[in-house]
Amino acid sequence: GTLRAELLRSGFVDEATNLLTTSAQPFNVFARVASGQMKQPGMDKEQVHLGAYQDRYMVCSNRPENDEHWDSDDVEWVGKASMSRRHRFLTVKDLHWQWFNVLSF
């Protein structure tokens, strides 16, 4: 099978639109944030820094508790906590499945 077929089978892509789904199941936090269905506290201030590009891209963050434990050696947080104190993700607002993940193009 192809990547698209797998995404369709698992419910992450809508077959009629070829867009990522933004429902609660399956849960795709980045698609939900990029679509505007989910807001992340304080991220509107960071979004402004994209300037003319803020209509095409979205700055996303980890959960606050993951950011708080970014440098923890505790086994509970290793591999789960943020990679740095202010780790951010940059994603596209175009939810077409081919553009949303760098591995797909």
Side-chain angles (χ1 to χ4, degrees):
T2 65
L3 175 58
R4 181 177 177 276
E6 176 61 25
L7 292 170
L8 286 169
R9 185 192 64 72
S10 59
F12 283 102
V13 171
D14 181 300
E15 188 168 18
T17 65
N18 280 314
L19 299 179
L20 295 178
T21 56
T22 56
S23 58
Q25 287 296 325
F27 187 77
N28 182 336
V29 67
F30 298 110
R32 291 177 60 84
V33 171
S35 72
Q37 288 188 6
M38 183 176 169
K39 302 289 184 197
Q40 294 185 306
M43 294 309 295
D44 53 337
K45 294 174 186 150
E46 296 193 34
Q47 184 70 14
V48 172
H49 295 289
L50 294 178
Y53 299 100
Q54 59 186 314
D55 62 329
R56 293 180 59 195
Y57 301 96
M58 179 65 76
V59 179
C60 304
S61 64
N62 274 317
R63 294 178 177 176
E65 62 270 21
N66 291 25
D67 284 346
E68 291 169 17
H69 294 92
W70 73 274
D71 63 346
S72 176
D73 291 330
D74 188 320
V75 294
E76 178 184 349
W77 292 104
V78 173
K80 179 178 170 183
S82 298
M83 298 172 83
S84 66
R85 182 177 307 211
R86 290 173 289 279
H87 184 84
R88 297 295 180 256
F89 304 90
L90 183 66
T91 191
V92 294
K93 289 186 174 183
D94 182 345
L95 295 181
H96 191 278
W97 77 274
Q98 286 183 308
W99 299 117
F100 203 76
N101 188 324
V102 71
L103 296 177
S104 66
F105 57 85

